Amino acid sequence: MPTPFACFVGALAWFHTSEFCLAAIYQRSDLGLRSWLFSKPYCVAMLLSCVEYAAELRWAPALDVSAVRWLGLAAIVVGEVVRKVAMVTAAHNFTHIIQTQRRPQHTLITGGIYSWMRHPGYAGWMVWALGTQLLLCNPLCTAGFAAASWQFFKSRIAYEDELLARFFGAAFQQYRAAVPSGVPLVP
C-alpha cells in the first residue's frame, strides 16, 4: 500500500476530478469553477486534517493503526462509488447547486440507488470524507468531519426536501415517507 498520505492525496484528486468530469457530461451549462467542489470551509478542513496527520506522525505514532487505515480506505471507495452511482443514475437531475426552480426536464428519480436512500450523493460524500480521516488515523478530524458534515446535510436535506415537495407534490411525499435520507439520524 502506498503511504496513507499518498492515498489521501489520490482520493482527493480522484474525487474532485471525477466530480468535474461528471458535471461536464451532465451539467455542461452550469460547468464552472464551482464544479470542482472546493469551498473555503472544505479547504480549511482538509488543511487541518493534514496538520493533524503531520502532528500525529511526529508526536503520537501509536495512533497509526493499520486496521483503521484499511477501514478508511474501504470507506473512501464505498463512499465514492455510492456518490458516483447517484450522479450517474440521476444524470441531468443531479446538480452541485440546489435548484430553487423546477427545470422542464427535471424528474423525480426513485429508482436504482435512489430506491435505497433519497440522498445517496450526500451519504456517499459523508462516508468518503470520514474515510479520508480514518485513512490518516485522525481522531480529531474524524469527529469534526462527522459533526460538521452531519449538521450541514441535516439542514441541506431539509431544504432540498422542501423544494422537492414543492416540485413534485404527493409523489415526493410518498417517496420521502418510504425511503430514508441515507444520512444517519436525518429523516
Side-chain angles (χ1 to χ4, degrees):
M1 177 178 192
T3 68
F5 192 74
C7 290
F8 171 75
V9 171
L12 291 178
W14 174 261
F15 174 81
H16 292 286
T17 302
S18 62
E19 288 286 319
F20 185 85
C21 290
L22 286 172
I25 293 168
Y26 295 117
Q27 294 297 322
R28 185 166 290 272
S29 63
D30 296 331
L31 196 63
L33 196 53
R34 291 181 72 176
S35 302
W36 289 99
L37 296 187
F38 289 113
S39 67
K40 253 186 226 179
Y42 172 82
C43 291
V44 168
M46 288 302 177
L47 179 62
L48 288 174
S49 75
C50 293
V51 169
E52 181 178 357
Y53 176 70
E56 289 165 4
L57 283 178
R58 174 74 175 99
W59 293 296
L63 289 176
D64 185 357
V65 179
S66 177
V68 172
R69 293 201 190 286
W70 283 105
L71 177 64
L73 190 58
I76 288 168
V77 171
V78 168
E80 184 72 22
V81 167
V82 167
R83 181 164 173 91
K84 296 313 186 271
V85 167
M87 292 176 77
V88 170
T89 301
H92 66 273
N93 293 289
F94 191 104
T95 60
H96 286 138
I97 300 166
I98 293 177
Q99 303 298 302
T100 57
Q101 300 293 320
R102 184 175 176 189
R103 297 178 322 267
Q105 75 275 21
H106 195 178
T107 57
L108 180 62
I109 306 299
T110 60
I113 197 165
Y114 288 86
S115 66
W116 301 334
M117 59 185 99
R118 292 191 322 275
H119 297 283
Y122 297 156
W125 185 88
M126 192 171 183
V127 170
W128 175 86
L130 294 175
T132 64
Q133 299 315 299
L134 291 171
L135 173 70
L136 296 177
C137 289
N138 282 350
L140 298 177
C141 282
T142 299
F145 276 45
S149 60
W150 183 83
Q151 186 62 45
F152 175 78
F153 289 130
K154 178 183 173 214
S155 63
R156 189 169 175 114
I157 286 171
Y159 177 63
E160 190 168 329
D161 281 359
E162 185 180 303
L163 291 169
L164 291 169
R166 189 170 40 129
F167 296 167
F168 301 107
F172 178 74
Q173 295 296 358
Q174 289 174 336
Y175 174 60
R176 185 176 192 271
V179 179
S181 72
V183 174
L185 303 175
V186 174

